């Protein structure tokens, strides 16, 4: 689309935008966010019924707030310290400053008694800042990544400030029930507030300065995908033909295995490659019979940990292909770039086995995308028990990705699984994903948030209500 300041704008392909864009349109909402270009100022503009409000970041902000505190402090800490977090005071100061900028932008465009829904770990201070600026607002927050156990979270020097920031919200959403429980324990340990079930009682004052207790809801709302969009693509004859073409290009192996991930140390890509390599080494698989396609989308390439991970993965792929591949039959087809959604759905249809081996994951929507795409009721999902999706997709083959032998056994079980069992498992998985789609996620969160709104606040329309009309 054309930007108001000239040049073109491209909608983010991420699941969050897909989930919330229809919601913005039916409510004449405003989307406050970074436009993705450093050191540039943009005026707010309208697009498809939503008002877009850009918040500018400098190159230094990107380095300190985003690459630094968000992705080299919070991300590894919240993912159980799979990589060592870095703690730098200047990064924290930048995080505070940028969160304040977002809070001020949201406060400036929110209507009287309006609703603001804050998204993800990069903005955990915004709810309390926003409440201070605009006490009339109803504020929701959703955390798209795990929230760690207190023994890990307590390492953070600014642990109290983060929890205090989150408690500015009326409703705080997490991916898993365990994450909500971890947050409640952090509240009790750090502040001594009552946190029973999903209800946290926060001391506050009313407009006259008298002491009151605010009730904050903290519970899990597992996020999902636009399942019907994947179904439509999977039923497209052109996409189905592309799936057959992919298998032909691979030499029509008996089994195609697939991994699709951001190139991130939380995804267990190395564990998956190790298990596959050992099966080849032991002669239980051959490159002529089975191939692993690994799509590894580029991620945070200016962060040293991610550059090192790429080198490690590509070295492992090269060794396995050198040792076990043959002319016309690579053992692993490694692809370090992203693909448009139709090509991804074709890959899902071409894959007999989907490998989701995350060491820690808030949800993992790729697992749900694979299931939604399998309109043929075929294919086997191997899913890490440490991904949030494991709470819902119980008909997958659940594994501990740290158990390499267990993963190898699961791969062989998936390859040998009878068609009748594959169909039964996939139908159960598809029922879950299709019934609990992204509209149900947003509607369930907003329904709970609506119950916290003061009398006289303008109604917020959910997608379910919009469709009913």
């Amino acid at each position: 689309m054309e930007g108001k300041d000239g040049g073109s704008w491209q909608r983010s392909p991420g699941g969050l935008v897909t989930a919330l864009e229809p919601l913005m349109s039916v409510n004449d909402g405003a989307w406050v966010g970074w436009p993705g270009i450093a050191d540039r100022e943009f005026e707010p503009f309208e697009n498809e019924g939503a008002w877009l409000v850009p918040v500018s970041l400098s190159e230094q902000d990107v380095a300190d707030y985003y690459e630094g505190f968000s992705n080299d402090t919070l991300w590894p800490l919240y993912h159980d310290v799979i990589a060592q977090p870095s703690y730098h005071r200047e990064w924290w100061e930048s995080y505070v400053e940028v969160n304040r900028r977002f809070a001020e932008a949201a406060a400036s465009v929110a209507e009287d008694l309006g609703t603001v829904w804050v998204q993800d770990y990069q903005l955990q201070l915004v709810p309390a800042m926003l409440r201070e600026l605009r006490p009339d607002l109803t504020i929701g927050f959703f955390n798209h990544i795990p929230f760690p156990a207190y023994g890990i979270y307590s390492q953070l020097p600014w642990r109290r400030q983060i929890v205090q920031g989150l408690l500015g919200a009326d409703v705080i959403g997490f991916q898993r029930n365990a994450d909500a429980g971890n947050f409640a324990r952090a509240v009790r340990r750090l502040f001594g507030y009552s946190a029973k079930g999903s209800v946290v009682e926060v001391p506050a004052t009313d407009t006259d300065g008298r002491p009151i207790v605010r009730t904050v809801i903290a519970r899990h709302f597992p996020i999902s995908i636009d399942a019907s969009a994947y179904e439509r693509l999977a039923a497209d004859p052109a996409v189905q033909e592309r799936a057959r073409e992919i298998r032909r290009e691979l030499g029509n192996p008996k089994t195609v295995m697939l991994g699709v991930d951001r190139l991130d140390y939380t995804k267990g890509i190395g564990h998956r490659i190790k298990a596959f390599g050992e099966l080849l080494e032991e002669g239980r698989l051959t490159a002529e019979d089975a191939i692993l396609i690994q799509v590894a989308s580029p991620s945070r390439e200016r962060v040293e940990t991610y550059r090192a991970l790429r080198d490690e993965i590509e070295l492992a792929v090269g060794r396995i292909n050198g040792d076990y591949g043959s002319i016309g039959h690579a053992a692993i087809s490694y692809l370090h770039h992203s693909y448009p959604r139709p090509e991804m759905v074709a890959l899902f249809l071409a894959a007999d086995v989907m490998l989701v081996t995350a060491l820690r994951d808030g949800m993992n929507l790729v697992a749900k995308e694979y299931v939604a795409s399998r309109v043929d009721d075929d294919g086997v999902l191997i899913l890490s028990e440490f991904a949030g999706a494991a709470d819902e997709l119980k008909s997958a083959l659940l594994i501990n990705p740290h158990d390499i032998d267990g993963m190898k056994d699961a791969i062989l079980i998936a390859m040998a699984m009878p068609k009748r069992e594959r169909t039964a498992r996939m139908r159960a998985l598809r029922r879950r994903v299709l019934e609990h789609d992204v509209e149900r996620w947003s509607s369930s969160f907003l329904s709970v948030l609506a119950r916290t709104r003061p009398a006289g606040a303008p109604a917020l329309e959910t997608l379910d209500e919009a469709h009913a009309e």
Side-chain angles (χ1 to χ4, degrees), residues 83-334:
Q84 184 61 38
S86 300
Y87 303 112
H88 298 296
R89 286 169 289 182
E90 61 271 22
W91 289 0
W92 164 250
E93 291 165 3
S94 179
Y95 187 80
V96 173
E97 166 56 29
V98 172
N99 271 248
R100 187 168 302 282
R101 215 176 296 161
F102 273 89
E104 289 170 350
S108 70
V109 296
E111 65 179 342
D112 290 344
L113 299 173
T115 296
V116 177
W117 193 0
V118 184
Q119 302 290 334
D120 222 358
Y121 66 103
Q122 299 95 338
L123 299 173
Q124 291 175 104
L125 303 180
V126 168
M129 292 175 171
L130 198 51
R131 184 162 298 282
E132 184 178 347
L133 292 166
R134 291 284 306 275
D136 62 302
L137 297 176
T138 301
I139 303 167
F141 180 91
F142 188 80
N143 198 49
H144 292 257
I145 67 173
F147 194 91
Y150 185 74
I152 292 174
Y153 181 73
S154 63
Q155 297 176 29
L156 184 66
W158 307 280
R159 58 198 183 185
R160 289 178 61 89
Q161 293 96 315
I162 293 286
V163 169
Q164 208 158 28
L166 291 170
L167 288 174
D170 296 291
V171 177
I172 308 168
F174 299 93
Q175 298 280 25
R176 309 181 82 165
N177 192 43
D179 298 323
N182 288 340
F183 176 75
R185 281 185 284 276
V187 170
R188 289 194 294 267
R189 292 287 295 273
L190 293 171
F191 295 98
Y193 298 162
S194 172
K196 297 176 181 177
S198 62
V199 177
V200 181
E201 295 182 348
V202 181
T205 55
D206 64 14
T207 53
D208 297 321
R210 292 174 298 203
I212 59 171
V213 174
R214 282 183 55 243
T215 296
V216 176
I217 305 298
R219 50 161 285 198
H220 73 300
F221 300 86
I223 197 171
S224 195
I225 62 170
D226 184 357
S228 60
Y230 282 88
E231 273 200 314
R232 287 192 298 272
L233 274 174
D236 185 333
V239 173
Q240 293 178 356
E241 175 54 34
R242 175 59 185 147
R244 291 188 288 269
E245 183 181 15
I246 289 170
R247 292 190 71 101
R248 290 195 296 269
E249 290 173 356
L250 296 171
N252 284 316
K254 290 180 183 176
T255 303
V256 174
M257 286 175 257
L258 176 64
V260 177
D261 312 88
R262 277 191 313 105
L263 190 55
D264 191 287
Y265 49 78
T266 65
K267 302 299 182 183
I269 300 171
H271 295 62
R272 176 186 318 162
I273 289 171
K274 181 177 178 61
F276 184 68
E278 287 189 10
L279 287 170
L280 293 169
E281 182 183 2
E282 295 162 4
R284 299 161 78 184
L285 290 182
T286 68
E288 288 72 28
D289 288 340
I291 185 170
L292 171 61
I293 303 173
Q294 178 59 59
V295 178
S297 304
S299 176
R300 301 167 188 165
E301 295 186 293
R302 300 202 305 187
V303 178
E304 176 56 34
T305 311
Y306 288 80
R307 291 199 297 265
L309 175 67
R310 179 179 180 182
D311 291 343
E312 177 188 326
I313 296 299
E314 293 181 356
L315 181 62
V317 169
R319 282 176 174 165
I320 290 172
N321 279 336
D323 288 343
Y324 305 108
S326 60
I327 295 174
H329 291 284
I332 301 175
S333 178
Y334 174 78

Side-chain angles (χ1 to χ4, degrees), residues 23-31 49-52:
L23 201 63
M24 295 292 100
S25 297
V26 299
N27 287 285
D28 295 322
W31 186 292
W51 188 245
L52 304 184

Side-chain angles (χ1 to χ4, degrees), residues 420-437:
R420 184 173 180 178
E421 184 180 352
R422 296 199 307 268
T423 297
R425 285 176 176 270
M426 186 54 69
R427 283 178 176 167
L429 293 170
R430 285 177 53 73
R431 275 196 302 273
R432 177 70 192 191
V433 171
L434 294 173
E435 290 172 6
H436 295 79
D437 64 0

Side-chain angles (χ1 to χ4, degrees), residues 374-385:
R374 294 312 301 235
V375 292
D376 56 355
D377 289 332
D378 207 350
V380 181
L381 173 63
I382 296 177
L383 177 60
S384 166
E385 62 191 53

